[in-house]
Amino acid sequence: MITGASRGIGRAMAETFAGAGYDLVLTCLRRIDELNALGQALENTYPISCRCFAADAGDYEEISSLFTRVDRLDVLINNAGIAHMGLLQDMTPRQWRRVLATHLDGCFYTCKHAIPLMLAQGSGHILNISSIWGNVGASAEVAYSAAKGGVNSFTKALAKELAPSRIRVNAIACGVIDTDMNRCLSEEDMETLRREIPADRLGTPQEVAALALQLIQSPGYLTGQIITLDGGFI
């Protein structure tokens, strides 16, 4: 299962995991037509099945409904996310709650339903897509940074809880990745960011997807880790 799979990192992961032979359950918030088209294309290209659903990651009832249609799950990737840029003093409580619900509550909702499925089969892997801002914080992105910091702690704590059950929990802390989420930044801001990255470029969704697959297929002793993918930025 990959949440937030209609575009960007989620879409790249869907393509990468389909190419590796994984049957898929993909979710999105609103772009269901795009997601259905992606699912059909993946089924036509690879010998896999792909089911697509519209589900708000930050809505417990919608996630509960989604899991009534899932009876087996080997891998859960919590990727759904939204951005919010602006001064904290200008942020409304509703905007704050929306960012925290999508990024952090969403991990709780999916994991709460996925864990029993993984316990029943004696194994599983949960991978949370986080951010370097969860490690160090970002000015004008306080809610996003707080949410991703919570995701990192969530990952480490849940890994300890589930390790005896052979369920691994890890996260990727992404640097600046070339996705639509960064389109709110001006060309000048993006160029400033690029100059601060030692690799002298933004990361690609495909690089995140490749690392995700490597982590899922890594040795079973690897759990509770926040793997940074940032071109040397932090």
Side-chain angles (χ1 to χ4, degrees), residues 103-154:
H103 291 278
L104 187 53
D105 295 358
C107 286
F108 164 54
Y109 298 155
T110 55
C111 289
K112 176 178 172 61
H113 290 88
I115 289 169
L117 298 175
M118 294 178 178
L119 288 173
Q121 64 199 34
S123 66
H125 198 154
I126 296 167
L127 180 62
N128 300 316
I129 304 303
S130 186
S131 167
I132 55 172
W133 303 140
N135 298 337
V136 299
S139 175
E141 292 189 73
V142 175
Y144 182 85
S145 300
K148 290 305 191 183
V151 168
N152 291 347
S153 295
F154 178 98

Side-chain angles (χ1 to χ4, degrees), residues 31 37 69 72 104 134 163 173 188 223:
R31 300 168 181 263
R69 290 167 281 187
R72 177 183 173 86
L104 187 53
E188 181 180 356
T223 192

Side-chain angles (χ1 to χ4, degrees), residues 12 172 177 201-212 214 229:
I172 299 174
I177 307 300
R201 66 176 178 85
L202 275 60
T204 69
Q206 290 73 27
E207 287 174 310
V208 182
L211 177 57
Q214 287 179 330
L229 182 70

Side-chain angles (χ1 to χ4, degrees), residues 2 8-17 77 127 129 172 174 177 204-216 229:
I2 304 171
I9 293 171
R11 184 184 183 95
M13 288 192 294
E15 293 168 344
T16 296
F17 277 76
I77 302 180
L127 180 62
I129 304 303
I172 299 174
C174 297
I177 307 300
T204 69
Q206 290 73 27
E207 287 174 310
V208 182
L211 177 57
L213 182 61
Q214 287 179 330
L215 286 175
I216 296 303
L229 182 70

Side-chain angles (χ1 to χ4, degrees), residues 1 4 9 29 40 55 57 62 79 81 85 97 101 117 134 137 146 149 151 154 157 173 185 191 227:
M1 178 181 290
I9 293 171
L29 180 59
Q40 188 62 60
E62 291 193 21
N79 170 72
M85 297 194 66
R97 185 64 248 150
L117 298 175
V151 168
F154 178 98
L185 298 174
E191 178 60 20
I227 310 298

